[in-house]
Amino acid sequence: MALADSTRGLPNGGGGGGGSGSSSSSAEPPLFPDIVELNVGGQVYVTRRCTVVSVPDSLLWRMFTQQQPQELARDSKGRFFLDRDGFLFRYILDYLRDLQLVLPDYFPERSRLQREAEYFELPELVRRLGAPQQPGPGPPPPHSRRGVQKEGSLGDDLLPLGSAEPEQQEGASAGAPSPTLELASRSPSGGAAGPLLTPSQSLDGSRRSGYITIGYRGSYTIGRDAQADAKFRRVARITVCGKTSLAKEVFGDTLNESRDPDRPPERYTSRYYLKFNFLEQAFDKLSESGFHMVACSSTGTCAFAGSTDQSEDKIWTSYTEYVFCRE
Protein backbone atom coordinates (compact mmCIF):
# COMPACT_ATOMS: atom_id res chain seq x y z
CA MET A 1 0.00 0.00 0.00
CA ALA A 2 2.95 2.35 0.48
CA LEU A 3 3.66 2.12 -3.24
CA ALA A 4 0.10 3.12 -4.08
CA ASP A 5 0.35 6.21 -1.85
CA SER A 6 3.57 7.30 -3.48
CA THR A 7 2.19 7.15 -7.01
CA ARG A 8 -0.83 9.42 -6.65
CA GLY A 9 0.62 11.89 -9.13
CA LEU A 10 1.60 14.63 -6.68
CA PRO A 11 4.04 16.99 -8.40
CA ASN A 12 6.01 17.47 -5.19
CA GLY A 13 6.00 14.13 -3.45
CA GLY A 14 5.65 11.23 -5.89
CA GLY A 15 8.32 8.62 -6.49
CA GLY A 16 10.93 7.49 -4.01
CA GLY A 17 11.44 4.07 -2.50
CA GLY A 18 8.74 1.91 -1.15
CA GLY A 19 8.67 1.53 2.70
CA SER A 20 6.89 3.25 5.55
CA GLY A 21 9.26 6.24 5.49
CA SER A 22 8.29 7.12 1.92
CA SER A 23 4.60 6.71 2.69
CA SER A 24 4.68 9.08 5.66
CA SER A 25 6.67 11.75 3.79
CA SER A 26 4.30 11.73 0.79
CA ALA A 27 1.27 12.02 3.08
CA GLU A 28 2.59 15.13 4.85
CA PRO A 29 0.62 18.29 3.96
CA PRO A 30 2.42 21.04 2.02
CA LEU A 31 4.19 23.63 4.13
CA PHE A 32 1.77 26.51 3.53
CA PRO A 33 1.02 29.03 6.28
CA ASP A 34 -2.47 29.22 7.73
CA ILE A 35 -2.79 32.81 6.45
CA VAL A 36 -1.90 33.23 2.78
CA GLU A 37 -1.40 36.42 0.77
CA LEU A 38 -2.48 36.42 -2.87
CA ASN A 39 -1.62 38.92 -5.57
CA VAL A 40 -4.31 38.55 -8.22
CA GLY A 41 -3.68 40.82 -11.18
CA GLY A 42 -2.18 43.47 -8.90
CA GLN A 43 -4.91 43.27 -6.24
CA VAL A 44 -3.76 41.88 -2.90
CA TYR A 45 -5.97 39.50 -0.91
CA VAL A 46 -5.26 38.02 2.52
CA THR A 47 -7.24 34.94 3.50
CA ARG A 48 -6.98 31.61 5.26
CA ARG A 49 -5.59 28.58 3.49
CA CYS A 50 -8.71 26.58 4.41
CA THR A 51 -10.76 29.09 2.40
CA VAL A 52 -8.87 28.70 -0.86
CA VAL A 53 -8.96 24.89 -0.60
CA SER A 54 -12.65 24.70 0.33
CA VAL A 55 -13.66 23.29 -3.09
CA PRO A 56 -11.90 19.97 -3.80
CA ASP A 57 -10.34 19.46 -7.23
CA SER A 58 -10.47 23.16 -8.04
CA LEU A 59 -7.42 24.99 -9.33
CA LEU A 60 -6.74 26.70 -5.99
CA TRP A 61 -7.24 23.42 -4.13
CA ARG A 62 -4.57 21.74 -6.28
CA MET A 63 -2.21 24.68 -5.91
CA PHE A 64 -2.37 24.73 -2.12
CA THR A 65 -2.61 21.00 -1.43
CA GLN A 66 -0.79 19.24 -4.25
CA GLN A 67 2.19 21.56 -4.67
CA GLN A 68 4.95 22.96 -2.51
CA PRO A 69 5.14 26.74 -1.85
CA GLN A 70 8.38 27.08 -3.80
CA GLU A 71 6.66 25.68 -6.91
CA LEU A 72 4.14 28.52 -7.13
CA ALA A 73 4.72 31.89 -8.77
CA ARG A 74 5.34 34.80 -6.41
CA ASP A 75 5.60 38.56 -6.74
CA SER A 76 8.49 40.71 -5.53
CA LYS A 77 7.09 40.71 -1.97
CA GLY A 78 6.66 36.96 -1.76
CA ARG A 79 2.90 36.84 -2.29
CA PHE A 80 1.47 34.01 -4.37
CA PHE A 81 0.75 35.47 -7.79
CA LEU A 82 -2.20 34.75 -10.11
CA ASP A 83 -2.42 36.50 -13.46
CA ARG A 84 -6.21 36.95 -13.45
CA ASP A 85 -8.75 39.75 -13.02
CA GLY A 86 -8.06 41.11 -9.54
CA PHE A 87 -11.36 42.95 -9.18
CA LEU A 88 -13.54 39.95 -10.03
CA PHE A 89 -11.53 37.65 -7.78
CA ARG A 90 -13.25 39.12 -4.73
CA TYR A 91 -16.46 37.39 -5.83
CA ILE A 92 -14.55 34.14 -6.31
CA LEU A 93 -13.16 34.48 -2.78
CA ASP A 94 -16.59 35.31 -1.35
CA TYR A 95 -17.95 32.14 -2.93
CA LEU A 96 -15.13 30.04 -1.49
CA ARG A 97 -15.88 31.29 2.03
CA ASP A 98 -19.42 29.92 2.31
CA LEU A 99 -20.19 28.49 -1.15
CA GLN A 100 -22.94 31.06 -1.68
CA LEU A 101 -23.29 33.34 -4.71
CA VAL A 102 -24.22 36.89 -3.71
CA LEU A 103 -23.82 39.59 -6.36
CA PRO A 104 -24.72 43.29 -6.13
CA ASP A 105 -27.63 44.80 -8.02
CA TYR A 106 -26.90 46.09 -11.53
CA PHE A 107 -23.92 43.72 -11.84
CA PRO A 108 -22.65 44.06 -15.44
CA GLU A 109 -19.72 41.61 -15.21
CA ARG A 110 -21.67 38.35 -14.90
CA SER A 111 -20.28 36.77 -18.08
CA ARG A 112 -16.72 37.77 -17.19
CA LEU A 113 -17.14 36.36 -13.69
CA GLN A 114 -18.38 33.11 -15.23
CA ARG A 115 -15.22 32.96 -17.29
CA GLU A 116 -13.13 33.43 -14.12
CA ALA A 117 -15.09 30.64 -12.41
CA GLU A 118 -14.32 28.35 -15.35
CA TYR A 119 -10.62 29.17 -15.06
CA PHE A 120 -10.56 28.38 -11.33
CA GLU A 121 -12.51 25.17 -12.07
CA LEU A 122 -15.53 25.87 -9.88
CA PRO A 123 -18.29 24.00 -11.74
CA GLU A 124 -21.09 24.80 -9.28
CA LEU A 125 -20.35 28.54 -9.47
CA VAL A 126 -20.25 28.31 -13.28
CA ARG A 127 -23.66 26.63 -13.23
CA ARG A 128 -25.17 29.29 -10.98
CA LEU A 129 -23.78 32.13 -13.06
CA GLY A 130 -25.16 30.54 -16.21
CA ALA A 131 -28.66 30.11 -14.75
CA PRO A 132 -31.31 32.78 -15.51
CA GLN A 133 -30.93 35.66 -13.10
CA GLN A 134 -33.73 35.99 -10.54
CA PRO A 135 -35.08 39.49 -9.90
CA GLY A 136 -33.84 40.89 -6.62
CA PRO A 137 -35.76 42.80 -3.94
CA GLY A 138 -34.59 46.13 -5.33
CA PRO A 139 -35.98 48.00 -8.33
CA PRO A 140 -35.94 45.94 -11.54
CA PRO A 141 -33.60 47.01 -14.33
CA PRO A 142 -34.95 49.70 -16.69
CA HIS A 143 -35.52 47.35 -19.62
CA SER A 144 -37.87 45.17 -17.54
CA ARG A 145 -40.19 48.00 -16.56
CA ARG A 146 -42.89 49.35 -18.82
CA GLY A 147 -44.01 52.91 -18.34
CA VAL A 148 -43.08 56.44 -19.22
CA GLN A 149 -41.08 59.09 -17.43
CA LYS A 150 -42.67 62.23 -16.09
CA GLU A 151 -42.15 65.16 -18.36
CA GLY A 152 -39.33 67.39 -17.14
CA SER A 153 -38.14 64.86 -14.56
CA LEU A 154 -34.39 64.49 -14.10
CA GLY A 155 -34.74 61.30 -12.07
CA ASP A 156 -35.96 57.85 -12.94
CA ASP A 157 -39.57 58.28 -11.76
CA LEU A 158 -41.95 56.30 -13.94
CA LEU A 159 -45.62 56.42 -14.65
CA PRO A 160 -47.20 53.02 -15.36
CA LEU A 161 -48.89 52.67 -18.69
CA GLY A 162 -52.53 53.59 -18.61
CA SER A 163 -52.12 56.03 -15.69
CA ALA A 164 -51.56 59.74 -15.46
CA GLU A 165 -50.91 62.41 -12.88
CA PRO A 166 -53.96 64.02 -11.21
CA GLU A 167 -53.88 67.18 -13.32
CA GLN A 168 -53.61 65.09 -16.49
CA GLN A 169 -56.55 62.94 -15.40
CA GLU A 170 -58.71 66.03 -15.03
CA GLY A 171 -57.80 67.13 -18.56
CA ALA A 172 -58.59 63.68 -19.89
CA SER A 173 -62.04 63.70 -18.26
CA ALA A 174 -62.77 67.01 -19.98
CA GLY A 175 -62.01 65.50 -23.35
CA ALA A 176 -58.47 66.86 -23.76
CA PRO A 177 -56.08 64.07 -24.74
CA SER A 178 -53.07 63.61 -22.49
CA PRO A 179 -49.77 63.80 -24.39
CA THR A 180 -48.19 61.53 -21.80
CA LEU A 181 -50.81 58.84 -22.22
CA GLU A 182 -50.83 59.27 -25.97
CA LEU A 183 -47.09 58.68 -26.11
CA ALA A 184 -47.34 55.73 -23.73
CA SER A 185 -50.12 54.05 -25.67
CA ARG A 186 -48.61 54.31 -29.11
CA SER A 187 -45.45 52.95 -30.64
CA PRO A 188 -43.75 54.44 -33.73
CA SER A 189 -45.45 51.77 -35.85
CA GLY A 190 -48.86 52.63 -34.48
CA GLY A 191 -49.24 49.37 -32.57
CA ALA A 192 -49.15 48.57 -28.90
CA ALA A 193 -46.96 50.46 -26.51
CA GLY A 194 -43.23 49.77 -26.80
CA PRO A 195 -40.69 49.20 -24.02
CA LEU A 196 -39.66 51.84 -21.55
CA LEU A 197 -37.36 54.59 -22.77
CA THR A 198 -33.73 54.03 -21.87
CA PRO A 199 -32.17 56.03 -19.00
CA SER A 200 -30.47 58.33 -21.54
CA GLN A 201 -33.71 59.23 -23.36
CA SER A 202 -36.21 61.93 -22.55
CA LEU A 203 -40.00 61.84 -22.88
CA ASP A 204 -40.11 62.83 -26.54
CA GLY A 205 -37.70 60.07 -27.52
CA SER A 206 -34.64 62.30 -27.78
CA ARG A 207 -31.52 61.68 -25.77
CA ARG A 208 -31.52 62.95 -22.19
CA SER A 209 -29.51 66.03 -21.34
CA GLY A 210 -26.59 65.88 -18.95
CA TYR A 211 -22.94 66.65 -18.33
CA ILE A 212 -19.78 64.57 -18.74
CA THR A 213 -16.34 65.71 -17.58
CA ILE A 214 -13.18 64.14 -18.96
CA GLY A 215 -9.72 64.85 -17.60
CA TYR A 216 -6.13 63.94 -18.25
CA ARG A 217 -2.72 64.49 -16.74
CA GLY A 218 0.12 65.35 -19.08
CA SER A 219 3.75 66.41 -18.73
CA TYR A 220 6.07 68.51 -20.86
CA THR A 221 9.84 68.75 -20.92
CA ILE A 222 11.29 72.13 -21.89
CA GLY A 223 14.98 72.52 -22.69
CA ARG A 224 17.40 74.99 -21.23
CA ASP A 225 16.29 78.62 -21.47
CA ALA A 226 13.23 77.38 -23.36
CA GLN A 227 15.24 77.35 -26.59
CA ALA A 228 14.38 73.76 -27.52
CA ASP A 229 10.93 72.60 -28.50
CA ALA A 230 8.78 71.25 -25.71
CA LYS A 231 8.52 67.48 -25.63
CA PHE A 232 5.07 66.21 -24.72
CA ARG A 233 4.81 62.86 -23.01
CA ARG A 234 1.80 60.75 -23.90
CA VAL A 235 -1.36 60.94 -21.84
CA ALA A 236 -1.30 58.15 -19.27
CA ARG A 237 -5.06 57.97 -18.63
CA ILE A 238 -8.24 59.82 -19.56
CA THR A 239 -10.72 59.91 -16.68
CA VAL A 240 -14.50 60.12 -17.05
CA CYS A 241 -16.85 61.73 -14.51
CA GLY A 242 -20.62 61.90 -14.76
CA LYS A 243 -23.77 59.81 -14.72
CA THR A 244 -23.10 56.12 -15.26
CA SER A 245 -25.78 55.66 -17.93
CA LEU A 246 -24.53 58.65 -19.95
CA ALA A 247 -20.89 57.52 -19.76
CA LYS A 248 -21.79 54.02 -20.96
CA GLU A 249 -23.96 55.40 -23.76
CA VAL A 250 -21.20 57.65 -25.11
CA PHE A 251 -18.11 55.46 -24.69
CA GLY A 252 -19.55 51.92 -24.75
CA ASP A 253 -16.93 49.17 -24.70
CA THR A 254 -14.09 51.70 -24.61
CA LEU A 255 -15.07 52.62 -21.03
CA ASN A 256 -13.05 50.89 -18.32
CA GLU A 257 -15.32 50.26 -15.33
CA SER A 258 -12.90 48.12 -13.31
CA ARG A 259 -12.47 50.71 -10.53
CA ASP A 260 -16.24 51.07 -10.03
CA PRO A 261 -17.89 47.95 -11.49
CA ASP A 262 -21.12 47.92 -9.45
CA ARG A 263 -22.34 51.48 -9.97
CA PRO A 264 -26.10 51.62 -10.77
CA PRO A 265 -27.03 53.42 -14.01
CA GLU A 266 -28.77 56.33 -12.27
CA ARG A 267 -25.81 57.11 -9.97
CA TYR A 268 -22.77 59.27 -10.62
CA THR A 269 -19.13 58.22 -10.65
CA SER A 270 -15.68 59.77 -10.97
CA ARG A 271 -13.73 56.51 -11.17
CA TYR A 272 -14.18 55.51 -14.80
CA TYR A 273 -11.44 55.93 -17.37
CA LEU A 274 -11.04 55.19 -21.07
CA LYS A 275 -9.21 52.30 -22.67
CA PHE A 276 -7.53 54.62 -25.17
CA ASN A 277 -5.22 57.62 -24.70
CA PHE A 278 -6.27 59.94 -27.53
CA LEU A 279 -8.20 63.04 -26.49
CA GLU A 280 -9.43 63.56 -30.05
CA GLN A 281 -11.05 60.13 -30.01
CA ALA A 282 -12.89 61.02 -26.81
CA PHE A 283 -13.98 64.34 -28.33
CA ASP A 284 -15.27 62.55 -31.45
CA LYS A 285 -17.37 60.16 -29.37
CA LEU A 286 -18.86 62.99 -27.34
CA SER A 287 -19.61 64.99 -30.48
CA GLU A 288 -21.27 62.02 -32.17
CA SER A 289 -23.52 61.65 -29.11
CA GLY A 290 -24.64 65.28 -29.28
CA PHE A 291 -22.37 66.77 -26.60
CA HIS A 292 -20.53 70.08 -26.93
CA MET A 293 -17.81 71.61 -24.77
CA VAL A 294 -18.97 74.25 -22.31
CA ALA A 295 -15.96 74.70 -19.99
CA CYS A 296 -12.30 73.85 -19.60
CA SER A 297 -9.83 74.29 -16.74
CA SER A 298 -6.20 73.37 -16.19
CA THR A 299 -3.64 73.46 -13.40
CA GLY A 300 0.08 72.76 -13.53
CA THR A 301 3.33 72.50 -11.60
CA CYS A 302 6.96 72.90 -12.63
CA ALA A 303 10.04 70.97 -11.50
CA PHE A 304 13.67 70.97 -12.56
CA ALA A 305 15.14 67.73 -13.85
CA GLY A 306 18.17 66.59 -11.87
CA SER A 307 19.13 69.96 -10.41
CA THR A 308 17.82 73.09 -8.74
CA ASP A 309 19.65 75.20 -11.27
CA GLN A 310 17.07 76.97 -13.41
CA SER A 311 19.23 76.45 -16.48
CA GLU A 312 18.45 72.73 -16.39
CA ASP A 313 15.50 71.13 -18.19
CA LYS A 314 12.08 71.91 -16.79
CA ILE A 315 9.29 69.37 -16.44
CA TRP A 316 5.79 70.78 -16.44
CA THR A 317 2.98 68.57 -15.17
CA SER A 318 -0.59 69.67 -15.83
CA TYR A 319 -4.07 68.34 -15.15
CA THR A 320 -6.81 69.45 -17.52
CA GLU A 321 -10.58 68.92 -17.41
CA TYR A 322 -13.11 69.42 -20.19
CA VAL A 323 -16.81 69.74 -19.38
CA PHE A 324 -19.26 68.62 -22.08
CA CYS A 325 -23.01 69.20 -22.09
CA ARG A 326 -25.94 67.78 -24.03
CA GLU A 327 -29.11 69.85 -23.84
Side-chain angles (χ1 to χ4, degrees):
M1 297 304 293
L3 180 59
D5 290 338
S6 65
T7 58
R8 296 178 61 186
L10 303 185
N12 57 1
S20 58
S22 174
S23 175
S24 60
S25 63
S26 62
E28 292 179 357
L31 301 177
F32 287 99
D34 184 51
I35 304 298
V36 296
E37 294 186 42
L38 305 174
N39 179 347
V40 186
Q43 300 295 312
V44 177
Y45 294 89
V46 181
T47 185
R48 299 179 68 91
R49 176 179 172 271
C50 60
T51 299
V52 296
V53 300
S54 60
V55 178
D57 298 322
S58 65
L59 176 65
L60 291 173
W61 180 85
R62 291 201 306 272
M63 288 176 58
F64 290 92
T65 62
Q66 308 290 287
Q67 293 181 266
Q68 293 288 347
Q70 61 269 19
E71 296 177 326
L72 302 181
R74 294 175 181 257
D75 63 7
S76 58
K77 295 186 177 181
R79 307 185 187 98
F80 298 108
F81 179 76
L82 292 164
D83 189 15
R84 301 301 298 179
D85 192 313
F87 296 97
L88 292 178
F89 185 75
R90 60 174 171 168
Y91 302 111
I92 299 291
L93 195 57
D94 284 343
Y95 173 78
L96 292 175
R97 291 190 176 106
D98 52 16
L99 302 183
Q100 297 294 323
L101 175 62
V102 180
L103 297 177
D105 295 334
Y106 309 105
F107 185 67
E109 308 286 345
R110 196 177 185 90
S111 60
R112 294 181 58 189
L113 180 58
Q114 184 176 8
R115 183 179 63 184
E116 295 299 304
E118 293 172 352
Y119 174 82
F120 287 105
E121 301 179 24
L122 301 169
E124 178 61 21
L125 180 57
V126 173
R127 185 190 66 80
R128 295 185 186 183
L129 289 169
Q133 190 173 5
Q134 298 296 328
H143 66 269
S144 67
R145 294 181 289 175
R146 298 177 65 86
V148 64
Q149 293 176 330
K150 296 179 183 178
E151 187 173 5
S153 172
L154 295 180
D156 291 331
D157 297 332
L158 298 173
L159 292 176
L161 294 180
S163 66
E165 293 184 282
E167 61 270 19
Q168 294 172 336
Q169 291 177 346
E170 293 177 4
S173 62
S178 169
T180 303
L181 290 178
E182 184 178 0
L183 177 63
S185 60
R186 289 189 303 149
S187 65
S189 61
L196 172 68
L197 299 176
T198 63
S200 60
Q201 289 181 312
S202 63
L203 184 63
D204 59 359
S206 60
R207 291 171 294 190
R208 180 184 294 183
S209 60
Y211 290 85
I212 289 180
T213 301
I214 64 172
Y216 77 95
R217 188 182 307 277
S219 59
Y220 310 81
T221 302
I222 302 178
R224 298 181 181 180
D225 302 323
Q227 297 298 319
D229 293 336
K231 298 178 181 179
F232 178 71
R233 301 181 182 179
R234 73 180 184 89
V235 176
R237 179 176 292 178
I238 300 176
T239 60
V240 178
C241 308
K243 199 167 188 178
T244 302
S245 58
L246 286 179
K248 291 181 178 180
E249 175 203 341
V250 173
F251 297 107
D253 294 338
T254 63
L255 189 68
N256 193 320
E257 308 170 39
S258 60
R259 295 198 303 169
D260 199 2
D262 305 326
R263 180 68 58 175
E266 74 277 5
R267 300 292 296 276
Y268 290 82
T269 181
S270 60
R271 297 177 61 82
Y272 288 167
Y273 61 94
L274 300 180
K275 297 178 181 179
F276 54 82
N277 298 324
F278 300 99
L279 283 171
E280 294 79 7
Q281 187 175 353
F283 293 165
D284 287 342
K285 287 184 173 294
L286 286 161
S287 178
E288 292 169 358
S289 299
F291 284 82
H292 62 276
M293 189 186 302
V294 294
C296 174
S297 65
S298 181
T299 59
T301 59
C302 178
F304 296 96
S307 173
T308 58
D309 185 356
Q310 296 188 5
S311 64
E312 297 295 328
D313 291 348
K314 300 176 182 179
I315 299 179
W316 290 86
T317 301
S318 65
Y319 181 76
T320 307
E321 289 186 338
Y322 301 92
V323 182
F324 288 81
C325 173
R326 184 171 68 189
E327 299 176 350

